[in-house]
């Protein structure tokens, strides 16, 4: 049946418009759910207003992490749900892919969550997300003029992030 | 080799020092806070110059002492030398560092109302400049303390009209 056919039926994903323009958007949340950074490079469809969009994203990730930890067939004990762990330890999902985009996720022990939505053919972005976290620490956390817990608006961070994300293949 | 401290710790300590003096101890008196921070820098510079000139003979003149500050002293503190030294041969020296380590991570909110104005002549009075200049009193004090320990009383001020380069102006008292 055509139902389970190839990608001829569903709309094929939009090809990246220019080299170096693979990323669609990025979210950075802190431990309390405050959206520290939201930046979009390519997002034609806006279904919700910004507030609801951030809440939806945060809630989704919280539930997904919880689900993946509970459904883990390899571990015997429940572990600490809700406690952020080092990336790679415990059981946490790191990406999901649809036919039009891929969402990559990383959470740090301090509770900072970085979400990057890209073209579906993108490979594993965990190292990229670690580098973005490094940029965050260098230009935001160590910036004396930044108040922790508020949305990020440091020029150096924005330029460095923009340059780096555009270079993701 | 002496014991070492993490650089992130020093950065955080300096940030917190300026923040405490500006927001807690001398809450609405930025000039007093600035003077206190500069005095702390003076003590630190005094002691550091003692330590770093232990093996050396005395400096023959002011220019030699300033060159010591630009090369050895700056390398010990910031792992690089001063990039440019200018003088008017009448007691004023300008030490320019093209990428001052303690300012390298500071950046401002480009969308705020009191953001960095495009016109460079307005920059000096803007709130952005005032916020950043509080962090420069400490290095100015360090230079002043180091030079006064070498027998050269002077006044040091900082100039950030072209970031990320930072210039320290040393005026030797006659």
């Amino acid at each position: 049946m055509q139902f389970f056919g190839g990608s001829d039926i569903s709309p094929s994903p939009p090809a990246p418009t220019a080299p170096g323009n693979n990323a669609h958007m990025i979210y950075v949340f802190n431990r309390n759910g405050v959206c520290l950074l939201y930046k979009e490079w390519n997002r034609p469809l806006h279904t919700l207003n910004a507030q609801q969009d951030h809440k939806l994203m945060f809630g989704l990730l919280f539930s997904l992490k919880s689900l993946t930890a509970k459904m883990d067939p390899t571990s015997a004990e429940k572990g600490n749900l809700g406690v952020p762990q080092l990336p790679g330890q415990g059981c946490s999902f790191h990406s999901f892919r649809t036919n039009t985009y891929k969402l990559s996720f990383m959470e740090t022990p301090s509770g900072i969550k970085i979400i990057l939505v890209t073209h579906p053919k993108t490979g594993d972005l965990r190292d990229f997300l670690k580098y973005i976290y490094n940029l965050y620490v260098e230009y935001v956390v160590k910036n004396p003029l930044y108040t922790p817990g508020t949305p990020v608006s440091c020029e150096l961070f924005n330029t460095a992030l923009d340059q780096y994300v555009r270079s993701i293949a | 080799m002496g014991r070492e401290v993490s650089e992130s710790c020093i950065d955080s300590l300096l940030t917190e020092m300026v923040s405490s003096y500006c927001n807690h101890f001398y809450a609405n008196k930025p000039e007093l806070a600035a003077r206190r921070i500069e005095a702390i820098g003076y003590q630190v510079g005094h002691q550091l110059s003692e330590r770093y000139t232990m093996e050396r003979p005395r400096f023959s003149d002011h220019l030699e002492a300033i060159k010591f500050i630009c090369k050895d002293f700056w390398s010990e503190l910031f792992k690089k030398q001063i990039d440019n030294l200018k003088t008017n041969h009448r007691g004023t020296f300008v030490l320019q560092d093209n990428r001052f380590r303690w300012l390298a991570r500071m950046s401002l909110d480009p969308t705020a109302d009191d953001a960095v104005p495009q016109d460079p002549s307005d920059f000096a009075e803007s709130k952005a400049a005032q916020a950043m200049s509080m962090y420069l009193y400490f290095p100015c004090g360090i230079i002043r303390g180091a030079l006064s320990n070498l027998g050269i009383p002077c006044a040091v001020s900082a100039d950030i009209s072209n970031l990320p380069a930072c210039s320290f102006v040393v005026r030797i008292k006659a």
Side-chain angles (χ1 to χ4, degrees):
Chain A
M1 280 182 68
Q2 282 291 323
F3 219 27
F4 297 107
S7 53
D8 300 339
I9 298 174
S10 45
S12 53
T17 49
N21 215 359
N22 271 326
H24 296 284
M25 48 232 212
I26 189 170
Y27 296 78
V28 177
F29 291 100
N30 77 353
R31 203 181 195 126
N32 305 327
V34 175
C35 183
L36 301 178
L37 178 78
Y38 168 69
K39 199 157 186 226
E40 63 183 38
W41 290 273
N42 178 20
R43 188 183 189 177
L45 174 67
H46 290 91
T47 39
L48 302 166
N49 77 14
Q51 286 284 59
Q52 293 173 322
D53 190 51
H54 299 331
K55 275 206 271 196
L56 176 67
M57 182 59 79
F58 187 77
L60 164 78
L61 294 168
F62 193 80
S63 315
L64 264 178
K65 262 181 19 165
S66 202
L67 170 82
T68 50
K70 285 183 192 156
M71 297 280 284
D72 186 5
T74 60
S75 131
E77 85 280 342
K78 200 165 61 164
N80 263 330
L81 296 175
V83 171
Q85 289 163 314
L86 277 177
Q89 282 187 348
C91 176
S92 165
F93 90 102
H94 51 81
S95 64
F96 70 73
R97 194 197 303 256
T98 71
N99 45 1
T100 47
Y101 67 89
K102 176 176 185 183
L103 181 144
S104 310
F105 167 79
M106 185 185 87
E107 181 175 28
T108 68
S110 57
I112 302 289
K113 305 181 196 351
I114 304 180
I115 297 104
L116 188 61
V117 177
T118 54
H119 189 263
K121 297 247 187 354
T122 330
D124 187 12
L125 287 181
R126 275 179 282 184
D127 289 329
F128 286 103
L129 292 177
K130 282 202 187 122
Y131 188 82
I132 293 178
Y133 179 63
N134 256 0
L135 286 181
Y136 171 79
V137 167
E138 290 296 312
Y139 290 125
V140 175
V141 175
K142 291 186 178 178
N143 183 1
L145 302 175
Y146 166 74
T147 337
T150 58
V152 167
S153 50
C154 309
E155 228 175 303
L156 279 179
F157 176 64
N158 287 340
T159 8
L161 179 71
D162 203 46
Q163 256 181 340
Y164 183 66
V165 171
R166 284 186 200 277
S167 73
I168 295 180
Chain B
M1 177 80 155
R3 285 179 288 194
E4 296 184 325
V5 178
S6 138
E7 194 176 344
S8 304
C9 288
I10 292 278
D11 285 342
S12 307
L13 179 67
L14 295 178
T15 307
E16 194 50 39
M17 170 178 77
V18 175
S19 163
S20 307
Y21 276 98
C22 292
N23 303 333
H24 295 293
F25 302 149
Y26 297 103
N28 292 322
K29 303 171 223 161
E31 310 82 29
L32 288 183
R35 269 203 285 178
R36 201 72 195 84
I37 296 173
E38 211 261 354
I40 296 176
Y42 181 87
Q43 293 284 11
V44 174
H46 209 269
Q47 287 157 353
L48 284 179
S49 73
E50 195 69 60
R51 185 183 280 248
Y52 297 142
T53 55
M54 247 181 355
E55 314 282 313
R56 304 174 63 114
R58 196 176 293 197
F59 293 107
S60 45
D61 68 352
H62 293 176
L63 184 59
E64 289 303 311
I66 296 278
K67 288 201 317 202
F68 161 75
I69 299 280
C70 292
K71 293 200 210 161
D72 302 319
F73 193 72
W74 219 252
S75 314
E76 293 279 0
L77 286 183
F78 303 112
K79 296 186 248 191
K80 68 185 282 284
Q81 300 184 351
I82 287 279
D83 298 301
N84 200 349
L85 172 65
K86 292 192 278 245
T87 175
N88 70 354
H89 297 290
R90 270 197 274 275
T92 302
F93 296 86
V94 178
L95 286 65
Q96 182 180 328
D97 187 337
N98 288 339
R99 196 170 186 267
F100 188 50
R101 211 175 181 94
W102 291 340
L103 286 185
R105 298 192 181 93
M106 285 178 59
S107 61
L108 306 151
D109 181 355
T111 56
D113 296 331
D114 53 344
V116 180
Q118 293 306 322
D119 186 359
S121 59
D122 287 341
F123 181 71
E125 289 97 46
S126 72
K127 281 205 206 156
Q130 281 172 355
M132 292 184 109
S133 62
M134 286 315 263
Y135 293 90
L136 289 169
Y137 287 111
F138 187 66
C140 288
I142 291 183
I143 298 176
R144 188 169 73 93
L147 285 174
S148 75
N149 195 26
L150 299 173
I152 306 173
C154 59
V156 182
S157 61
D159 167 30
I160 37 167
S161 42
N162 30 320
L163 288 166
C166 176
S167 301
F168 295 96
V169 182
V170 179
R171 289 184 188 87
I172 299 186
K173 298 187 181 158

